[in-house]
Amino acid sequence: MVNLKNSSFDLFVFFERTPDLVCIASKDGYFKKVNPAVIEKLGYSEEELFARPIASFIYNEDKDSTQKTRDAMLAGEALKNFENRYITKHGKIIWLDWTSIYFPEDEVVFAIAKDASNRKQAEKETEENFKRAKGLASHFKSSIEKDRKYFAYELHEELAQLAAVVRLDLNWVAKNSSGLDSITKDRIDHVMAVSELLIKKIQRISFSVSPNMLDYFGLKDTLEWLCHDFSILNEIPCHLKSNFQEDSLTHEMKIDFFRICQESLSNVLAHAKATSVTITVNETIDKLELCIIDDGKGFDVTQKKLTSGFAAMRGRAASINGQLHVESSIGRGTKICLTIVKQDQLH
């Protein structure tokens, strides 16, 4: 342990040798004393640093925020981990992370800064990588939806039309063929009924694959149709409650809202044993929220590993800057909510 009384170690030694930037500044914003690290990092001589206001070394876009922070510090608020950019003598921009304190009795500021340039560069690269990955995800989603749309068109316009032609021809045969025995007539009636079911099934699959209603009628009407169809097919009441503006959502968001509802209803049907489902879409000043709530058997979210369906929903939520939350407990149903903070939306 260093004996400060009997050693040459003192604050001056620390001031001179620390790799951190250490300085003393006057209340009016001039350097009064700097350590060698400041001179080395900024590239100016001591005389050049003392001759100009500190603000003149600060990157122009950071001057206002720096001044506001400095005013708060002079008013008695501690300054910790404040980041701004400085311009070196050679024109390089560096990030500095400051901790400062004001001594009103001497009207001076004591400040220490660390060079945060490497960390900020790493953060920038991470952010750029994230944006690239997000862009690729959006591209793949768009490509998949385009393929879905084409497949849905083929189903609806080709297969359904062919089935409709078969039904019409059978109907013509039934009306224009005399002398058919009862067994043959029954078989024709049966095939016509099956062809009608086939057409409806193709239409439902087509809607499930790519809901063209989104393009023509919007999210609200499409979700109402989804709820209505789910209720009729599965005899589980499904209700939509909505309070939002259609133009608050991009086309990508509408598709993802629909897909999340679609996946949630599939989970309800497969696992929940619910007697009712409610879908809500609400808009407030600061956020959009989609929730799918069922009264089924629920599960312990801390114990059960989420399925690939939940993972897909979370991926969709992340791609539109949203957060997906799952609330459930055994015997108390499940609530799945997608929340999007409006300032985080990407238009």
Side-chain angles (χ1 to χ4, degrees), residues 115-139:
D115 187 350
S117 301
N118 290 338
R119 176 170 57 79
K120 297 297 288 189
Q121 181 62 30
E123 289 175 357
K124 182 179 179 181
E125 290 174 359
T126 300
E127 183 178 356
E128 289 174 352
N129 289 336
F130 173 76
K131 287 180 179 178
R132 279 196 293 269
K134 189 173 180 180
L136 285 172
S138 295
H139 171 73

Side-chain angles (χ1 to χ4, degrees), residues 8-23 35-37 110-112 114:
S8 59
F9 181 87
D10 56 26
L11 289 178
F12 178 78
V13 174
F14 169 78
F15 189 89
E16 290 293 313
R17 295 184 182 179
T18 178
D20 292 338
L21 287 71
V22 184
C23 63
N35 74 337
F110 182 78
I112 300 177
K114 293 183 179 294

Side-chain angles (χ1 to χ4, degrees), residues 114-346:
K114 293 183 179 294
D115 187 350
S117 301
N118 290 338
R119 176 170 57 79
K120 297 297 288 189
Q121 181 62 30
E123 289 175 357
K124 182 179 179 181
E125 290 174 359
T126 300
E127 183 178 356
E128 289 174 352
N129 289 336
F130 173 76
K131 287 180 179 178
R132 279 196 293 269
K134 189 173 180 180
L136 285 172
S138 295
H139 171 73
F140 288 138
K141 276 202 311 180
S142 297
S143 297
I144 291 170
E145 290 297 335
K146 184 177 179 180
D147 291 342
R148 282 173 176 262
K149 202 167 189 177
Y150 174 76
F151 181 56
Y153 176 84
E154 290 295 308
L155 279 174
H156 189 271
E157 299 300 324
E158 298 295 332
L159 290 183
Q161 293 295 336
L162 289 173
V165 170
V166 170
R167 185 184 61 182
L168 288 172
D169 285 348
L170 285 170
N171 188 45
W172 186 91
V173 170
K175 288 181 178 180
N176 294 280
S177 298
S178 59
L180 292 176
D181 57 71
S182 60
I183 295 176
T184 302
K185 288 182 178 180
D186 288 344
R187 296 300 295 176
I188 290 175
D189 290 341
H190 174 73
V191 173
M192 288 180 63
V194 170
S195 66
E196 179 68 24
L197 291 175
L198 177 61
I199 292 170
K200 290 182 178 179
K201 186 64 175 178
I202 290 173
Q203 289 172 338
R204 286 196 176 99
I205 293 174
S206 174
F207 175 83
S208 177
V209 170
S210 181
N212 286 330
M213 283 183 67
L214 277 174
D215 297 329
Y216 299 106
F217 300 106
L219 181 65
K220 182 176 182 293
D221 288 344
T222 305
L223 291 183
E224 282 182 345
W225 196 97
L226 180 67
C227 282
H228 177 73
D229 196 54
F230 181 84
S231 299
I232 290 177
L233 289 178
N234 306 299
E235 298 183 345
I236 301 174
C238 179
H239 305 285
L240 174 68
K241 298 178 181 179
S242 62
N243 179 27
F244 71 100
Q245 297 295 322
E246 288 279 344
D247 56 8
S248 296
L249 285 78
T250 64
H251 182 67
E252 181 185 10
M253 291 166 67
K254 290 178 183 179
I255 290 175
D256 286 328
F257 273 44
F258 173 81
R259 295 294 181 206
I260 288 172
C261 288
Q262 198 177 37
E263 183 65 39
S264 296
L265 290 179
S266 294
N267 288 339
V268 169
L269 190 61
H271 308 293
K273 295 184 179 179
T275 60
S276 69
V277 185
T278 301
I279 296 175
T280 65
V281 186
N282 288 314
E283 179 180 8
T284 62
I285 294 175
D286 58 348
K287 68 180 180 180
L288 286 158
E289 188 171 66
L290 163 71
C291 290
I292 304 95
I293 307 160
D294 70 69
D295 63 354
K297 63 181 183 178
F299 60 93
D300 186 347
V301 293
T302 63
Q303 298 294 325
K304 184 175 180 179
K305 184 177 180 181
L306 297 184
T307 64
S308 59
F310 280 114
M313 286 191 283
R314 282 191 166 150
R316 285 188 175 275
S319 72
I320 52 175
N321 292 339
Q323 293 287 331
L324 192 79
H325 304 281
V326 180
E327 299 176 15
S328 186
S329 58
I330 296 174
R332 299 177 68 88
T334 300
K335 180 178 181 180
I336 299 172
C337 285
L338 164 65
T339 303
I340 300 176
V341 178
K342 285 187 176 179
Q343 68 239 31
D344 288 340
Q345 292 178 41
L346 294 180

